[in-house]
Structures are given as C-alpha cells and as structure tokens.
Coordinates of all heavy atoms in Angstrom, one line a residue:
M983 N 185.6 97.0 104.9 CA 185.5 97.0 106.3 C 184.0 97.0 106.8 O 183.2 97.7 106.1 CB 186.2 98.2 106.8 CG 186.3 98.3 108.3 SD 187.9 98.6 109.1 CE 189.1 98.7 107.8
T984 N 183.7 96.4 107.8 CA 182.4 96.4 108.4 C 182.4 97.0 109.8 O 183.4 96.9 110.5 CB 181.8 95.0 108.4 OG1 182.6 94.1 109.2 CG2 181.6 94.4 107.0
Y985 N 181.3 97.6 110.2 CA 181.2 98.3 111.4 C 179.9 97.9 112.2 O 178.9 97.7 111.6 CB 181.2 99.8 111.2 CG 182.4 100.4 110.5 CD1 182.4 100.5 109.2 CD2 183.5 100.8 111.3 CE1 183.5 101.1 108.5 CE2 184.6 101.3 110.6 CZ 184.6 101.5 109.3 OH 185.7 102.0 108.6
R986 N 180.0 97.9 113.5 CA 178.9 98.0 114.3 C 178.5 99.4 114.5 O 179.4 100.2 114.8 CB 179.1 97.3 115.7 CG 178.0 97.3 116.6 CD 178.3 96.7 118.0 NE 177.3 96.9 118.9 CZ 176.2 96.1 119.0 NH1 176.1 95.1 118.3 NH2 175.3 96.4 119.9
I987 N 177.2 99.8 114.3 CA 176.8 101.2 114.3 C 176.0 101.4 115.6 O 175.0 100.7 115.9 CB 175.9 101.5 113.1 CG1 176.5 101.1 111.8 CG2 175.5 103.0 113.1 CD1 175.5 101.0 110.7
E988 N 176.4 102.4 116.4 CA 175.7 102.8 117.6 C 175.6 104.3 117.7 O 176.5 105.0 117.3 CB 176.5 102.3 118.8 CG 176.6 100.8 118.9 CD 177.5 100.4 120.1 OE1 178.7 100.6 120.0 OE2 177.0 99.9 121.1
V989 N 174.4 104.8 118.2 CA 174.2 106.2 118.5 C 174.1 106.3 120.0 O 173.2 105.7 120.6 CB 173.0 106.7 117.8 CG1 172.7 108.2 118.2 CG2 173.1 106.6 116.3
D990 N 174.9 107.2 120.6 CA 174.8 107.4 122.0 C 173.7 108.5 122.3 O 173.9 109.7 122.0 CB 176.2 107.9 122.6 CG 176.2 108.0 124.1 OD1 175.1 108.3 124.7 OD2 177.3 107.9 124.7
A991 N 172.6 108.1 122.8 CA 171.5 109.0 123.0 C 171.8 110.1 124.0 O 171.2 111.1 124.0 CB 170.2 108.2 123.4
D992 N 172.7 109.8 124.9 CA 173.1 110.8 125.9 C 173.9 112.0 125.3 O 173.9 113.1 125.8 CB 173.9 110.2 127.0 CG 173.1 109.2 127.9 OD1 171.8 109.4 127.9 OD2 173.7 108.3 128.4
L993 N 174.5 111.7 124.1 CA 175.3 112.7 123.5 C 174.6 113.4 122.3 O 174.8 114.6 122.0 CB 176.6 112.1 123.0 CG 177.6 111.6 124.0 CD1 178.8 111.0 123.3 CD2 178.1 112.7 124.9
C994 N 173.7 112.6 121.6 CA 173.0 113.1 120.5 C 172.2 114.4 120.8 O 171.5 114.4 121.8 CB 172.1 112.0 119.9 SG 171.1 112.6 118.5
S995 N 172.3 115.4 120.0 CA 171.5 116.6 120.2 C 170.5 116.8 119.0 O 169.9 117.9 118.9 CB 172.4 117.8 120.3 OG 173.3 117.7 121.4
G996 N 170.4 115.9 118.1 CA 169.4 115.9 117.1 C 169.7 116.9 116.0 O 168.8 117.4 115.3
Y997 N 171.0 117.2 115.7 CA 171.3 118.1 114.7 C 170.9 117.6 113.3 O 170.6 118.3 112.4 CB 172.8 118.4 114.7 CG 173.3 119.0 115.9 CD1 174.2 118.4 116.7 CD2 172.9 120.3 116.3 CE1 174.7 119.0 117.9 CE2 173.4 120.9 117.4 CZ 174.3 120.3 118.2 OH 174.7 120.9 119.3
G998 N 171.0 116.3 113.1 CA 170.5 115.7 111.9 C 171.6 115.5 110.8 O 171.3 115.1 109.7
N999 N 172.8 115.9 111.1 CA 173.9 115.8 110.1 C 174.0 114.4 109.6 O 174.3 114.1 108.4 CB 175.2 116.3 110.7 CG 175.2 117.7 111.2 OD1 174.1 118.2 111.5 ND2 176.3 118.3 111.2
C1000 N 173.8 113.4 110.5 CA 174.0 112.0 110.2 C 172.9 111.6 109.2 O 173.2 110.8 108.3 CB 174.0 111.1 111.4 SG 172.5 111.3 112.4
V1001 N 171.7 112.1 109.3 CA 170.6 111.8 108.4 C 170.9 112.3 107.0 O 170.6 111.7 106.0 CB 169.3 112.3 109.0 CG1 168.1 111.9 108.0 CG2 169.0 111.8 110.4
V1002 N 171.5 113.5 107.0 CA 171.9 114.1 105.7 C 173.0 113.3 105.0 O 172.9 113.0 103.8 CB 172.3 115.5 105.8 CG1 172.8 116.1 104.5 CG2 171.1 116.4 106.3
A1003 N 174.0 112.9 105.8 CA 175.1 112.1 105.3 C 174.8 110.7 104.9 O 175.3 110.2 103.9 CB 176.3 112.1 106.3
A1004 N 174.0 110.0 105.7 CA 173.6 108.6 105.4 C 172.2 108.4 105.7 O 171.8 107.7 106.6 CB 174.5 107.7 106.3
P1005 N 171.3 108.8 104.8 CA 169.9 108.7 105.0 C 169.3 107.3 104.9 O 168.2 107.0 105.4 CB 169.2 109.6 103.8 CG 170.3 109.6 102.8 CD 171.6 109.6 103.5
D1006 N 170.1 106.4 104.4 CA 169.7 105.0 104.4 C 169.9 104.3 105.7 O 169.4 103.2 106.0 CB 170.5 104.2 103.3 CG 170.0 104.6 101.9 OD1 169.0 105.2 101.7 OD2 170.8 104.3 100.9
V1007 N 170.8 104.9 106.5 CA 171.1 104.3 107.8 C 170.5 105.0 109.0 O 170.0 104.3 109.9 CB 172.7 104.3 108.0 CG1 173.1 103.7 109.3 CG2 173.4 103.6 106.8
F1008 N 170.5 106.3 109.0 CA 170.0 107.0 110.2 C 168.7 107.7 109.9 O 168.4 108.1 108.8 CB 171.1 108.1 110.6 CG 172.4 107.5 111.0 CD1 173.4 107.5 110.1 CD2 172.6 106.9 112.2 CE1 174.7 107.0 110.4 CE2 173.8 106.4 112.6 CZ 174.8 106.4 111.7
D1009 N 167.9 107.9 111.0 CA 166.7 108.7 110.9 C 166.6 109.4 112.3 O 167.3 109.1 113.2 CB 165.5 107.8 110.7 CG 164.3 108.5 110.1 OD1 164.4 109.7 109.9 OD2 163.4 107.8 109.7
L1010 N 165.7 110.4 112.3 CA 165.5 111.1 113.6 C 164.2 110.5 114.2 O 163.1 110.5 113.5 CB 165.4 112.6 113.4 CG 166.7 113.3 113.1 CD1 166.4 114.8 113.0 CD2 167.7 113.1 114.2
D1011 N 164.2 110.1 115.4 CA 163.0 109.6 116.1 C 162.0 110.7 116.2 O 162.4 111.8 116.8 CB 163.4 109.0 117.4 CG 162.2 108.4 118.1 OD1 161.2 109.1 118.3 OD2 162.3 107.2 118.5
P1012 N 160.8 110.6 115.7 CA 159.8 111.7 115.8 C 159.4 112.1 117.2 O 159.0 113.2 117.5 CB 158.7 111.3 114.9 CG 158.8 109.8 114.8 CD 160.2 109.5 115.0
G1013 N 159.6 111.1 118.1 CA 159.2 111.4 119.5 C 160.3 112.1 120.3 O 160.0 113.0 121.0
T1014 N 161.5 111.7 120.1 CA 162.6 112.3 120.9 C 163.4 113.3 120.1 O 164.2 114.0 120.7 CB 163.5 111.2 121.4 OG1 164.2 110.5 120.2 CG2 162.8 110.1 122.2
N1015 N 163.3 113.3 118.7 CA 164.2 114.1 117.8 C 165.6 113.7 118.0 O 166.5 114.5 117.7 CB 164.0 115.6 118.0 CG 164.4 116.4 116.8 OD1 164.1 116.0 115.7 ND2 165.0 117.5 117.0
L1016 N 165.9 112.5 118.4 CA 167.3 112.0 118.5 C 167.5 111.0 117.4 O 166.6 110.3 116.9 CB 167.6 111.4 119.8 CG 167.4 112.3 121.0 CD1 167.7 111.6 122.3 CD2 168.3 113.6 120.9
A1017 N 168.8 110.8 117.0 CA 169.1 109.9 115.9 C 168.9 108.5 116.3 O 169.2 108.1 117.4 CB 170.5 110.2 115.4
I1018 N 168.4 107.7 115.4 CA 168.3 106.2 115.5 C 168.9 105.6 114.3 O 168.9 106.2 113.2 CB 166.9 105.8 115.8 CG1 166.0 106.2 114.6 CG2 166.3 106.3 117.1 CD1 164.6 105.7 114.6
V1019 N 169.3 104.3 114.5 CA 169.7 103.5 113.3 C 168.3 103.0 112.8 O 167.5 102.4 113.6 CB 170.6 102.4 113.7 CG1 170.9 101.5 112.5 CG2 171.9 102.9 114.2
K1020 N 168.1 103.1 111.5 CA 166.8 102.7 111.0 C 166.4 101.3 111.3 O 167.3 100.4 111.1 CB 166.8 102.9 109.4 CG 166.6 104.4 109.0 CD 166.3 104.5 107.5 CE 165.9 105.9 107.2 NZ 165.6 106.0 105.7
P1021 N 165.2 101.0 111.7 CA 164.8 99.6 111.9 C 165.0 98.8 110.7 O 164.7 99.2 109.6 CB 163.3 99.8 112.2 CG 163.1 101.2 112.7 CD 164.1 102.0 111.9
G1022 N 165.5 97.6 110.9 CA 165.7 96.7 109.8 C 167.0 96.9 109.1 O 167.4 96.0 108.3
R1023 N 167.7 98.0 109.4 CA 169.0 98.2 108.8 C 170.0 97.3 109.5 O 170.2 97.3 110.8 CB 169.4 99.7 109.0 CG 170.8 100.0 108.5 CD 170.9 100.1 107.0 NE 172.3 100.2 106.7 CZ 172.7 100.5 105.4 NH1 171.8 100.6 104.5 NH2 174.0 100.6 105.1
P1024 N 170.8 96.5 108.8 CA 171.8 95.7 109.4 C 172.8 96.6 110.2 O 173.1 97.7 109.8 CB 172.5 95.0 108.2 CG 171.5 95.1 107.1 CD 170.7 96.4 107.4
L1025 N 173.2 96.1 111.3 CA 174.2 96.8 112.1 C 175.6 96.7 111.6 O 176.5 97.3 112.1 CB 174.1 96.4 113.6 CG 172.8 96.7 114.3 CD1 172.9 96.3 115.7 CD2 172.5 98.2 114.2
L1026 N 175.8 96.0 110.5 CA 177.1 95.9 109.9 C 177.0 96.5 108.5 O 176.1 96.2 107.8 CB 177.6 94.5 109.8 CG 177.8 93.7 111.1 CD1 178.1 92.3 110.8 CD2 178.8 94.4 111.9
A1027 N 177.9 97.4 108.2 CA 177.8 98.0 106.9 C 179.2 98.4 106.5 O 180.1 98.7 107.3 CB 176.9 99.2 106.9
D1028 N 179.5 98.5 105.2 CA 180.7 99.0 104.6 C 180.3 100.1 103.7 O 179.9 99.9 102.6 CB 181.5 97.9 103.9 CG 182.8 98.4 103.4 OD1 183.1 99.6 103.6 OD2 183.5 97.6 102.8
D1029 N 180.4 101.4 104.2 CA 179.7 102.4 103.5 C 180.5 103.7 103.8 O 180.6 104.1 104.9 CB 178.3 102.5 104.0 CG 177.4 103.4 103.2 OD1 177.9 104.2 102.5 OD2 176.2 103.3 103.3
A1030 N 180.9 104.4 102.7 CA 181.6 105.7 102.9 C 180.7 106.7 103.6 O 181.2 107.5 104.3 CB 182.2 106.2 101.6
A1031 N 179.4 106.7 103.2 CA 178.5 107.6 103.8 C 178.4 107.4 105.3 O 178.2 108.4 106.0 CB 177.1 107.5 103.2
L1032 N 178.6 106.2 105.8 CA 178.5 105.9 107.2 C 179.7 106.6 107.9 O 179.5 107.3 109.0 CB 178.6 104.4 107.4 CG 178.3 103.8 108.7 CD1 177.0 104.3 109.3 CD2 178.4 102.3 108.6
R1033 N 180.8 106.5 107.3 CA 182.0 107.2 108.0 C 181.9 108.7 107.9 O 182.3 109.4 108.8 CB 183.3 106.7 107.3 CG 183.6 105.3 107.8 CD 184.8 104.7 107.1 NE 184.4 104.0 105.9 CZ 184.9 104.2 104.7 NH1 185.9 105.0 104.6 NH2 184.5 103.5 103.7
E1034 N 181.3 109.2 106.8 CA 181.0 110.6 106.7 C 180.1 111.1 107.8 O 180.3 112.1 108.4 CB 180.5 111.0 105.3 CG 180.3 112.4 105.1 CD 179.7 112.7 103.7 OE1 179.9 111.9 102.8 OE2 179.0 113.7 103.6
A1035 N 179.0 110.3 108.1 CA 178.1 110.6 109.1 C 178.8 110.7 110.5 O 178.5 111.6 111.3 CB 177.0 109.6 109.1
E1036 N 179.6 109.8 110.7 CA 180.4 109.8 112.0 C 181.2 111.1 112.1 O 181.2 111.7 113.1 CB 181.3 108.6 112.1 CG 182.1 108.5 113.4 CD 183.2 107.5 113.4 OE1 183.8 107.3 112.3 OE2 183.5 106.9 114.4
A1037 N 181.9 111.4 111.0 CA 182.8 112.6 111.0 C 182.0 113.9 111.2 O 182.5 114.9 111.7 CB 183.7 112.6 109.8
D1038 N 180.8 113.9 110.6 CA 180.0 115.1 110.6 C 179.2 115.4 111.9 O 178.6 116.4 112.0 CB 179.0 115.1 109.4 CG 179.7 115.3 108.1 OD1 180.9 115.7 108.1 OD2 179.0 115.2 107.0
C1039 N 179.2 114.4 112.8 CA 178.4 114.5 114.0 C 179.1 115.5 114.9 O 180.1 115.1 115.5 CB 178.1 113.2 114.7 SG 177.2 113.4 116.2
P1040 N 178.5 116.7 115.2 CA 179.2 117.6 116.1 C 179.2 117.2 117.5 O 180.0 117.7 118.3 CB 178.4 118.9 115.9 CG 177.1 118.5 115.4 CD 177.3 117.2 114.7
A1041 N 178.4 116.2 117.9 CA 178.3 115.8 119.3 C 179.1 114.5 119.5 O 179.2 114.0 120.6 CB 176.8 115.5 119.7
R1042 N 179.7 114.0 118.4 CA 180.5 112.8 118.5 C 179.7 111.6 119.1 O 180.1 110.9 120.0 CB 181.8 112.9 119.4 CG 182.8 113.9 118.7 CD 183.5 113.1 117.6 NE 184.5 114.0 116.9 CZ 184.5 114.2 115.6 NH1 183.6 113.6 114.9 NH2 185.4 114.9 115.1
A1043 N 178.4 111.6 118.7 CA 177.5 110.6 119.3 C 177.4 109.3 118.5 O 176.8 108.3 119.0 CB 176.1 111.2 119.3
I1044 N 178.1 109.3 117.3 CA 178.0 108.0 116.5 C 179.3 107.2 116.7 O 180.4 107.8 116.6 CB 177.9 108.4 115.0 CG1 176.5 109.1 114.8 CG2 178.0 107.1 114.1 CD1 176.4 109.6 113.4
R1045 N 179.1 106.0 117.1 CA 180.3 105.1 117.3 C 180.2 104.0 116.2 O 179.3 103.3 116.1 CB 180.2 104.5 118.7 CG 180.3 105.5 119.8 CD 181.1 105.0 121.0 NE 181.2 106.1 121.9 CZ 180.3 106.2 122.9 NH1 179.3 105.4 123.0 NH2 180.4 107.2 123.8
L1046 N 181.3 103.9 115.5 CA 181.5 102.8 114.6 C 182.6 101.9 115.1 O 183.7 102.4 115.3 CB 181.9 103.4 113.2 CG 181.0 104.4 112.6 CD1 181.5 104.8 111.2 CD2 179.6 103.8 112.4
T1047 N 182.3 100.7 115.4 CA 183.3 99.8 115.9 C 183.6 98.8 114.8 O 182.8 98.1 114.3 CB 182.7 99.0 117.1 OG1 182.2 99.9 118.0 CG2 183.7 98.1 117.8
R1048 N 184.9 98.7 114.5 CA 185.3 97.8 113.4 C 185.1 96.4 113.9 O 185.3 96.0 115.0 CB 186.8 98.0 113.2 CG 187.1 99.2 112.4 CD 188.6 99.3 112.1 NE 189.0 100.5 111.5 CZ 190.2 100.8 111.1 NH1 191.2 100.0 111.3 NH2 190.4 102.0 110.5
R1049 N 184.6 95.6 112.9 CA 184.4 94.2 113.2 C 185.4 93.3 112.4 O 185.8 93.7 111.4 CB 182.9 93.8 112.8 CG 181.9 94.6 113.5 CD 181.8 94.4 115.0 NE 181.5 93.0 115.3 CZ 180.3 92.6 115.7 NH1 179.4 93.5 116.0 NH2 180.1 91.3 116.0
Ligands
SF4_704 S1 174.7 114.1 113.7 FE1 175.1 113.4 115.8 S2 174.0 114.8 117.1 FE2 173.2 115.0 115.1 S3 171.4 113.7 115.0 FE3 173.1 112.6 114.2 S4 173.9 111.5 116.0 FE4 172.6 113.1 116.8

C-alpha cells in the first residue's frame, strides 16, 4: 500500500514521536520545532514505520491518505 504523507502544522505540538518511529521520513523543523516530511523524501511510501508514526502521534497531526 502507498500513502500520501501530510503533517497538519495546526495540530502538531512537536512531541517528536513521529521522528522516533520513522526517522527516515519525519524530522523536526529547527525553526518551528514542528514535524516536517524530510525534503527529498517521496510523498508515497509503503512502510510499517510510517503507520506506526501515525498511530503514535498524540495530536493526530499525521495524515496518511491511501493512494
Ligand atoms: S508525533 Fe505528531 S505532534 Fe509530535 S512531532 Fe510528530 S506530527 Fe507533531
């Protein structure tokens, strides 16, 4: 399965759980301390860590849309 990956900056609180779960996909912006999808990372991925990151986000800020 592939997904479009989005982080809702209005919901993200910078907890960083997503970075721990999927460090290849997510990073914290040093300026805002909010999660971003790493530059250059394809927006489509089939990755168990990605789904774990979504589940671990306490703010429900990560949206994975099935493609
Ligand atoms: S786990 Fe959720 S709230 Fe925390 S940094 Fe990632 S997207 Fe933001």
Side-chain angles (χ1 to χ4, degrees):
M983 184 131 357
T984 57
Y985 299 92
R986 177 183 172 84
I987 309 163
E988 297 172 290
V989 176
D990 187 332
D992 291 334
L993 295 177
C994 177
S995 299
Y997 297 117
N999 302 24
C1000 56
V1001 180
V1002 173
D1006 290 343
V1007 177
F1008 297 101
D1009 205 352
L1010 290 181
D1011 184 304
T1014 64
N1015 203 41
L1016 299 178
I1018 56 172
V1019 178
K1020 282 190 168 180
R1023 173 76 188 189
L1025 292 183
L1026 298 177
D1028 183 357
D1029 190 343
L1032 189 56
R1033 282 175 272 129
E1034 184 181 333
E1036 179 195 34
D1038 285 354
C1039 176
R1042 294 283 178 232
I1044 296 173
R1045 296 217 178 90
L1046 303 180
T1047 307
R1048 287 183 183 181
R1049 302 294 299 253

